[in-house]
């Protein structure tokens, strides 16, 4: 029985990459661990299989409030999944749903939060959910954003990108490690080493390098091309598409960039995401539409 360590992010921001890195680090195998075995290592917070045994009726027949009340119970069940710390993937914002916490802190040891430039997230969201870029931009600003009940998942509560980021990062917490996707790309050894140290691990340089290499975008994409990936959306051609930073410069129009900055400039400024050539896109305080 172990306490939970949340691996949190807004969708399409690096959660799968982080899970793969940790899986490879712990397994320490010569070849990359299968991306389709990630849930053998890290539980999915919204996986319906954990909620169904606790539900009084089929999940599809429950009201959203009834599902919300199941969450703290299911999270306690998670602690019995492994004898040591239990890693749990979550895309939920750090808040409440129908007055019930979306993350049971009574059984939580800590968390790792990965965030990514929303200018690039918008592109990935458009591919993942089968939306146009303009629809994805609206998606990122939608305070009601989330996912519905399905045969395999209970609802996730995302809210807007800004609200999601602020909910997890506004109050510094020594039990939470906050990482930028772009820093993991630019200096993987430095920042993945931070992850290992945060978890109290001291892997050898060779072991750390192997985990980084086996979870690289190139390795993950190669696996998907060869064997598929069960987490790929049926609306997307591939889950691992490009993975690079600043692809927005090749895809978004200036107007689209300005709309995203107008919606999210408060949190973007906190994390250095406002491009130097778009500083003038930040609205005056009385014009701000971003979540703070």
């Amino acid at each position: 029985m172990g306490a939970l360590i949340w691996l949190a992010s807004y969708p399409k921001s690096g959660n799968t990459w982080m899970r793969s890195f940790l899986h490879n680090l712990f397994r320490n195998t010569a070849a990359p661990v299968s991306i389709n075995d990630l849930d053998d290592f890290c539980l999915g917070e919204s996986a319906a299989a954990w909620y169904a045994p606790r539900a009084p009726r089929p999940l599809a027949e429950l009201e959203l409030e009834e599902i919300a009340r199941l969450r703290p119970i299911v999270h306690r069940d998670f602690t019995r999944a492994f004898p040591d710390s239990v890693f749990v993937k979550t895309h939920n914002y750090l808040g409440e749903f129908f007055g019930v916490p979306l993350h049971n802190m009574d059984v939580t040891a800590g968390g790792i939060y990965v965030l990514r430039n929303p200018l690039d997230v918008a592109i990935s969201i458009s591919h993942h959910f089968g939306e146009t870029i303009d629809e994805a931009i609206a998606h990122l600003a939608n305070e009601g954003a989330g996912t519905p009940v399905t045969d395999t998942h209970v609802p996730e509560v995302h809210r807007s990108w800004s609200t999601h980021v602020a909910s997890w990062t506004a109050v510094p917490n020594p039990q939470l490690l906050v990482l930028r996707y772009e820093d993991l790309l630019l200096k993987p050894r430095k920042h993945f080493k931070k992850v290992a140290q945060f978890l109290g691990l001291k892997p050898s340089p060779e072991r750390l390098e192997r985990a980084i290499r086996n979870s690289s975008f190139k390795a993950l994409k190669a696996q998907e091309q060869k064997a598929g990936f069960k987490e790929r959306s049926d609306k997307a051609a591939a889950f691992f598409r490009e993975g690079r930073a600043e692809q927005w410069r090749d895809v978004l129009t200036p107007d689209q960039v300005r709309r995203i900055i107008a919606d999210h400039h408060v949190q973007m400024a906190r994390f250095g995401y406002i491009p130097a050539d778009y500083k003038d896109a930040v609205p005056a305080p009385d014009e701000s539409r971003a979540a703070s």
Side-chain angles (χ1 to χ4, degrees):
M1 182 173 179
L4 308 186
I5 298 177
W6 299 100
L7 302 183
S9 71
Y10 188 83
K12 304 307 293 180
S13 298
N15 200 301
T16 302
W17 186 14
M18 181 58 63
R19 287 185 288 145
S20 179
F21 164 74
L22 289 172
H23 199 180
N24 279 282
L25 183 66
F26 279 92
R27 295 292 183 264
N28 194 32
T29 54
V33 178
S34 171
I35 54 176
N36 288 307
D37 291 339
L38 288 177
D39 51 6
D40 293 343
F41 163 79
C42 177
L43 307 182
E45 192 283 329
S46 64
W50 284 94
Y51 289 79
R54 291 291 191 174
R57 305 185 304 284
L59 291 175
E61 298 177 10
L62 297 185
E63 298 294 331
L64 293 180
E65 186 172 359
E66 292 179 282
I67 295 176
R69 290 199 295 266
L70 292 177
R71 267 194 160 95
I73 301 169
V74 170
H75 295 174
R76 194 168 292 279
D77 290 343
F78 286 166
T79 67
R80 293 188 283 273
F82 303 110
D84 300 314
S85 297
V86 180
F87 291 98
V88 185
K89 164 196 171 182
T90 179
H91 285 316
N92 291 320
Y93 90 109
L94 188 59
E96 296 183 346
F97 190 49
F98 287 98
V100 180
L102 287 160
H103 304 86
N104 185 347
M105 291 302 161
D106 290 340
V107 293
T108 292
I112 297 171
Y113 185 79
V114 183
L115 73 153
R116 185 183 185 189
N117 190 333
L119 296 170
D120 284 331
V121 173
I123 300 168
S124 290
I125 285 288
S126 73
H127 286 274
H128 186 73
F129 289 106
E131 301 174 343
T132 65
I133 292 293
D134 287 335
E135 288 171 339
I137 291 171
H139 186 143
L140 263 66
N142 180 8
E143 292 297 345
T147 59
V149 180
T150 68
D151 291 340
T152 56
H153 291 86
V154 300
E156 293 179 348
V157 185
H158 304 157
R159 299 194 68 181
S160 71
W161 181 88
S162 287
T163 295
H164 198 288
V165 171
S167 73
W168 280 96
T169 68
V171 180
N173 186 331
Q175 297 306 112
L176 178 70
L177 177 65
V178 179
L179 299 162
R180 297 195 327 161
Y181 180 96
E182 296 76 16
D183 293 332
L184 292 168
L185 281 175
L186 185 63
K187 296 183 178 180
R189 294 165 189 81
K190 175 182 178 180
H191 294 284
F192 279 117
K193 185 178 181 180
K194 282 185 181 179
V195 173
Q197 292 173 333
F198 174 76
L199 297 172
L201 306 174
K202 296 181 180 180
S204 66
E206 294 78 16
R207 183 168 184 166
L208 181 67
E209 289 284 349
R210 184 181 304 112
I212 292 171
R213 182 174 63 253
N214 284 347
S215 60
S216 67
F217 184 83
K218 180 180 179 180
L220 298 177
K221 188 175 181 68
Q223 281 202 52
E224 182 181 20
Q225 290 175 336
K226 182 178 180 180
F229 184 32
K230 61 185 180 183
E231 294 184 25
R232 178 184 65 82
S233 163
D234 58 8
K235 297 177 181 179
F239 187 93
F240 301 103
R241 198 177 49 83
E242 287 197 32
R244 61 186 175 91
E246 297 214 339
Q247 54 187 288
W248 62 269
R249 290 193 178 275
D250 301 325
V251 178
L252 303 185
T253 67
D255 179 64
Q256 290 169 333
V257 173
R258 290 174 182 277
R259 283 164 51 199
I260 293 171
I261 293 173
D263 287 337
H264 305 290
H265 68 90
V266 174
Q267 300 307 320
M268 290 179 73
R270 285 184 63 215
F271 291 97
Y273 284 144
I274 297 178
D277 49 338
Y278 280 92
K279 294 291 186 183
D280 64 336
V282 176
D286 60 346
E287 299 173 349
S288 174
R289 293 183 288 127
S292 58

